[in-house]
Amino acid sequence: MDLPIEVETLGGSKLKIEKVDGDIIVGGQKVVQPDIMATNGVIHGMDGVVMATDPQTSDSTDDAKDELQPIVETLSALPDYSTLVAAVGVAADSEGKKIVDDLVAGGPYTVFAPDNAAFTAFLEKSGMTAEQILASPDLASILGNHVVAGKFTAADV
């Protein structure tokens, strides 16, 4: 895949994926833990929260796939992503549909997953508390900026 590319997120915004000095950069944030595989996609750990800037595939073997879990269960098993898991569990779109339902039933997806340190930095920068962001009507949109349809591993970019 030739970089940079622009992909549309589930949140409807455009997300730029590029390589800078050998690092994969997504929406201005660095991929720090690539290729966390799940049955319905792949997760890339990020060092920051991706914010909307413009509102609007490689498969595992069958044996490896049997050992994988869906995205939400995979993230739930990783302590460094507990804030994201909490956010995904409560976030709903304007019609009340929870994001977690899409991530469990749909796919394949690629998730650019901010870790707990990324959320802490975001909260400090924004002046918000964890409780405020979890109650925010913008939470589903913010999280949607981290998910794209399709399964893109680090090797794909």
Side-chain angles (χ1 to χ4, degrees):
M1 180 180 302
D2 292 326
L3 295 180
I5 62 167
E6 216 174 62
V7 294
E8 186 171 338
T9 69
L10 292 185
S13 61
K14 300 289 182 185
L15 194 60
K16 184 177 181 180
I17 302 173
E18 58 190 330
K19 269 196 179 173
V20 177
D21 297 327
D23 293 321
I24 300 172
I25 306 296
V26 180
Q29 307 300 324
K30 182 179 171 183
V31 173
V32 293
Q33 186 176 2
D35 296 343
I36 304 167
M37 304 306 289
T39 56
N40 61 334
V42 62
I43 304 158
H44 300 295
M46 305 294 293
D47 73 348
V49 174
V50 178
M51 297 301 291
T53 55
D54 181 22
Q56 306 193 48
T57 62
S58 148
D59 294 324
S60 303
T61 65
D62 289 337
D63 290 340
K65 205 169 193 176
D66 290 341
E67 297 172 13
L68 299 176
Q69 298 293 317
I71 288 170
V72 174
E73 285 82 356
T74 300
L75 285 170
S76 295
L78 301 169
D80 286 344
Y81 297 92
S82 60
T83 305
L84 177 61
V85 171
V88 166
V90 299
D93 66 17
S94 60
E95 297 170 3
K97 183 178 179 189
K98 290 201 169 199
I99 288 181
V100 70
D101 296 338
D102 285 334
L103 292 177
V104 170
Y109 298 118
T110 297
V111 177
F112 300 102
D115 62 14
N116 292 345
F119 269 105
T120 298
F122 170 75
L123 292 173
E124 288 173 1
K125 185 177 179 180
S126 69
M128 298 177 76
T129 66
E131 292 77 18
Q132 288 172 318
I133 193 69
L134 291 175
S136 172
D138 297 327
L139 181 61
S141 176
I142 292 168
L143 294 177
N145 292 329
H146 294 81
V147 181
V148 296
K151 187 174 181 179
F152 303 101
T153 66
D156 294 330
V157 296

